[in-house]
Amino acid sequence: MKHTVSRTLPRVLRRRDACLCLAAVLVSGFGTSALWLVAGVWVKDLTGSDGLAALCLLALWAPTAAGPVLGALADTVRRGPLLIGLHLLPAALLPVLTAVDSPGRFWLVFAVLFVYGAVGVVQDAAESAFVAGAVPASLLGEFNGLRMTVSEGLKLVAPPAGAVLYGAYGADAVVLLDAASFVLAAGLYACLRVPEPPPALGERVRIGEGARHLWRHPRLRPLVLAGGATMLCAGVNGAALYAVIDALGHAPAYAGVLYAVQGAGSLVAGLLAGPALRRLGAHRLAGYGIAVTAVAAGLRAVPSDAVALLCSAAIGAGLPCVLIAAFTAVQRETPDALLGRTAATAHTLVLAPNAVGLAVGAALVEAVDVAVLLAVLGVVWAASAALPRQSAASPSRTADRSSSDANPA
């Protein structure tokens, strides 16, 4: 596998368009990750309310539920110019937050974060569709793995950097940093030269067509269902984190250690997922990823530091496999005219259950012993590993390696 990684990564990185896309993800993602942490701290400092601070994350994620509607925009205009505009819009909007200088104006933070989140939903849909045209289908798995590695790496670096900047210079410095990162990302997208077919302006865009495509497609439906089930279980697992830390006898700050280890697992998985996808096929890779995360979640019931660290790394490695398998399959097996709506719908169906899982987990962790909860969760999660299976494994593998590559989205 190492030899495969060393051979395929240069193939991705030698492509100018792929490098520019990754660079745009890197710079805009840095600003977003920094603001994500600072917004909650800022609202907490302004209002003294833990509940209002937690609502910052809700404001950012709430527009995900409207993914099928918002994603339709990516199918009505050229995606390159759309991506440039979608990065310049938050760059122009974010400086509004510099007016938040008293507790009475904290609502501006929620308003801006909500718009920020809505723009992000359209960005994700447009980027998924745009990348499918910029990167050969045979390299989409490797590209998406690298993108995951970049995103997870930013989560280890950007939030602490944002916290330091906030402590030294205040929230305005973080806001302006994020705005500047979007301007730079827009410039990188402007440098791309990817031929795009003209949008079908004369045809009425049917918002529900992406959902219908996912449901009717025999290969995409099980992968998206598996991704949603995985993120639902991941939400329950995440809600139990502090109960696990209590059982280990550590202070809540120990969560930072576990998050760092999980992030390291995701970094490794991102590098290996592309070659693994080529070798195993999307359905097998997703199934193995679910199995790894399920076993790790169940073993977290064991009150041992070593086991907790190992399980965090395993969860970090398993989750990206499911997401990369599902989203790469959507890019490969969706017609270009439908790809924006389908990608946005897939993101909603896969990622929105995480919020539900967090809410359910938060209620269960108060009522059920954490060891029992995690043991049951591990069993339920493992059962979902059957979702991505196909009736014939060998055709699945062949399709991932051949027919999808021959018919790029």
Side-chain angles (χ1 to χ4, degrees), residues 214-215 217-231 277 280-290 319-334 345-347 349-351 353 384-390 396 399-400 404:
L214 289 174
W215 182 252
H217 200 294
R219 289 169 49 73
L220 297 182
R221 183 177 65 246
L223 283 170
V224 171
L225 289 175
T230 294
M231 295 309 293
L277 185 62
L280 299 172
H283 294 76
R284 283 199 185 98
L285 178 62
Y288 291 155
I290 293 172
L319 283 176
C321 294
V322 185
L323 301 180
I324 291 171
F327 294 144
T328 302
V330 168
Q331 287 175 305
R332 284 178 168 176
E333 307 209 17
T334 302
T345 302
H347 277 84
L349 294 175
V350 171
L351 300 179
S384 71
L387 286 173
R389 73 185 179 192
Q390 284 192 311
S396 168
D400 271 321
S404 296

Side-chain angles (χ1 to χ4, degrees), residues 46-269:
L46 284 171
T47 66
S49 170
D50 291 328
L52 289 176
L55 285 178
C56 288
L57 192 59
L58 177 61
L60 195 60
W61 276 90
T64 304
V69 177
L70 295 173
L73 181 60
D75 289 335
T76 59
V77 298
R78 292 185 185 273
R79 287 137 186 174
L82 177 62
L83 281 168
I84 295 171
L86 289 171
H87 283 78
L88 292 177
L89 176 58
L93 180 65
L94 281 165
V96 171
L97 293 180
T98 59
V100 180
D101 55 3
S102 65
R105 292 184 174 180
F106 78 90
W107 61 271
L108 273 174
V109 178
F110 293 138
V112 170
L113 287 178
F114 184 83
V115 176
Y116 192 112
V119 170
V121 172
V122 186
Q123 280 179 354
D124 287 343
E127 182 196 284
S128 293
F130 188 76
V131 164
V135 178
S138 59
L139 294 178
L140 275 176
E142 282 80 0
F143 177 89
N144 289 331
L146 281 174
R147 190 190 188 287
M148 179 72 71
T149 297
V150 169
S151 298
E152 293 300 321
L154 288 173
K155 291 177 185 177
L156 299 178
V157 177
V164 170
L165 194 61
Y166 176 76
Y169 301 104
D172 288 357
V174 182
V175 167
L176 295 177
L177 169 68
D178 195 14
S181 74
F182 276 110
V183 172
L184 181 55
L188 289 169
Y189 277 116
C191 293
L192 287 163
R193 297 292 181 266
V194 179
E196 293 187 76
L201 298 177
E203 297 181 9
R204 185 165 63 92
V205 174
R206 295 178 174 85
I207 292 173
E209 198 62 34
R212 281 191 288 272
H213 175 68
L214 289 174
W215 182 252
R216 293 171 180 171
H217 200 294
R219 289 169 49 73
L220 297 182
R221 183 177 65 246
L223 283 170
V224 171
L225 289 175
T230 294
M231 295 309 293
L232 177 68
C233 293
V236 177
N237 180 63
L241 175 65
Y242 290 101
V244 170
I245 292 172
D246 285 342
L248 293 173
H250 292 293
Y254 191 68
V257 176
L258 297 181
Y259 276 132
V261 173
Q262 181 170 327
S266 295
L267 287 174
V268 174

Side-chain angles (χ1 to χ4, degrees), residues 67 104 111 133 163 168 180 199 239 254 304 368 395:
Y254 191 68
S304 162
V368 181

Side-chain angles (χ1 to χ4, degrees), residues 357-383:
L358 283 168
V360 171
L364 290 176
V365 79
E366 296 292 336
V368 181
D369 180 78
V370 67
V372 174
L373 174 61
L374 290 172
V376 173
L377 175 64
V379 173
V380 173
W381 205 339

